Amino acid sequence: MRKLFCTSLILAINVLLVSLSYAADIQVITSGAFAEALKDLAPEYEKQSPNKVIISYGSSMGAAPDSIPSRLARGEQFDVLILAAPALDGFVKSGTVQSGTKADLVASVMGAVVKAGAPKPDISTMNGLKSALLNAKSVAYSASASGVYLSTELFPKMGISEQMGKTARKIYSERVASVVARGDADLGFQQVSELLPIPGVDFIGELPPEAQKTVLFSAGITSDTQNLAASKDLIKYLASKKAVATIQKAGLKPVLPALPW
């Protein structure tokens, strides 16, 4: 009996050691649209995996010091990038992200907020959106994917680029809703998932269909990762049905893709 107990104990220790030897600290950097979802999903993933998820944050685009492009240019090391699909495609093309590891995770739409308690303009139609933009004394928008779309596509399409040049400004290294919450802008635009978690603002709705731009946010594995298997395992979880409820709660629409590997 004692011999059997010792044998079982040794086997259990060996299993534990093997498990620990495969555990990895997965370094993930995500842009704002997926940040709230990942913050909640990471501990759920860790409950069913020996791996740990270490999260960093940065915008998908732009030259701000904490943007994902700037941090990678400085040589910061990550295993997984989660950001706007067009920006990730650029990293695949440059070789920063391994070809064949891109997985679309969520679709994200844009919306707007005002300071809590302020009058809520109706932006459900193009006329209403245009009126809200022109009547606002100050407008804030992201320096990342959503803001690039507003300033280079939507404002020109609506014929208000000149006016917006006087009242609208890009926000770097901060959530747009935070700027609105402290009263530094009357109206703020960003991905819905980046607006909803911020206190001190009222969400007034999504952009109308004619103005809306749905952006895919995708994950990819860096070419210099030392944790390839663990990185694939994490992305598999984020792209699975297990993550759907948390993703939807964060204001995003899950894609549930077929994984590329």
Side-chain angles (χ1 to χ4, degrees):
M1 181 65 72
R2 183 174 181 181
K3 182 177 180 181
L4 179 61
F5 172 77
C6 292
T7 302
S8 299
L9 180 60
I10 292 171
L11 180 60
I13 292 173
N14 286 337
V15 169
L16 177 61
L17 290 174
V18 169
S19 176
L20 290 174
S21 69
Y22 282 96
D25 287 343
I26 310 170
Q27 298 287 341
V28 182
I29 187 164
T30 180
S31 60
F34 199 69
E36 194 69 15
L38 183 61
K39 185 177 72 175
D40 292 335
L41 286 169
E44 293 303 315
Y45 168 75
E46 291 173 349
K47 288 178 183 177
Q48 51 96 64
S49 169
N51 301 321
K52 298 296 180 184
V53 182
I54 313 300
I55 306 174
S56 299
Y57 303 96
S59 58
S60 294
M61 304 174 184
D66 60 350
S67 73
I68 293 176
S70 294
R71 296 181 71 165
L72 290 171
R74 288 198 300 270
E76 293 190 43
Q77 301 292 311
F78 301 100
D79 299 301
V80 176
L81 309 184
I82 302 175
L83 65 164
L88 185 65
D89 289 338
F91 287 126
V92 173
K93 186 176 181 180
S94 70
T96 302
V97 169
Q98 295 183 43
S99 177
T101 66
K102 177 188 173 185
D104 296 328
L105 298 179
V106 297
S108 175
V109 296
M110 296 172 58
V113 293
V114 294
K115 186 177 176 65
K120 297 180 181 180
D122 180 4
I123 63 167
S124 62
T125 65
M126 288 296 283
N127 285 338
L129 175 62
K130 184 174 183 177
S131 176
L133 284 164
L134 293 177
N135 289 332
K137 293 181 180 179
S138 54
V139 176
Y141 61 91
S142 169
S144 194
S146 61
V148 171
Y149 163 70
L150 285 175
S151 59
T152 64
E153 296 185 46
L154 185 58
F155 292 165
K157 175 183 175 181
M158 299 176 73
I160 59 173
S161 291
E162 184 177 349
Q163 297 94 320
M164 290 297 97
K166 298 175 182 177
T167 59
R169 65 187 178 98
K170 290 182 182 180
I171 304 301
Y172 295 88
S173 305
E174 187 178 15
R175 295 285 181 89
V176 168
S178 297
V179 175
V180 176
R182 64 171 179 263
D184 290 345
D186 297 333
L187 194 59
F189 293 86
Q190 201 163 17
Q191 307 293 336
V192 171
S193 60
E194 298 188 66
L195 299 172
L196 294 180
I198 306 302
V201 296
D202 289 333
F203 180 66
I204 59 175
E206 299 177 1
L207 300 190
E210 303 92 330
Q212 188 61 261
K213 185 178 180 68
T214 299
V215 178
L216 288 175
F217 283 79
S218 310
I221 302 172
T222 58
S223 296
D224 58 359
T225 181
Q226 301 299 309
N227 298 307
L228 181 59
S231 297
K232 287 183 176 181
D233 188 59
L234 173 62
I235 293 173
K236 179 182 177 182
Y237 179 83
L238 298 178
S240 73
K241 291 181 179 180
K242 295 177 182 178
V244 165
T246 301
I247 286 171
Q248 291 175 331
K249 181 183 175 183
L252 297 163
K253 300 174 183 179
V255 174
L256 297 177
L259 294 175
W261 52 83

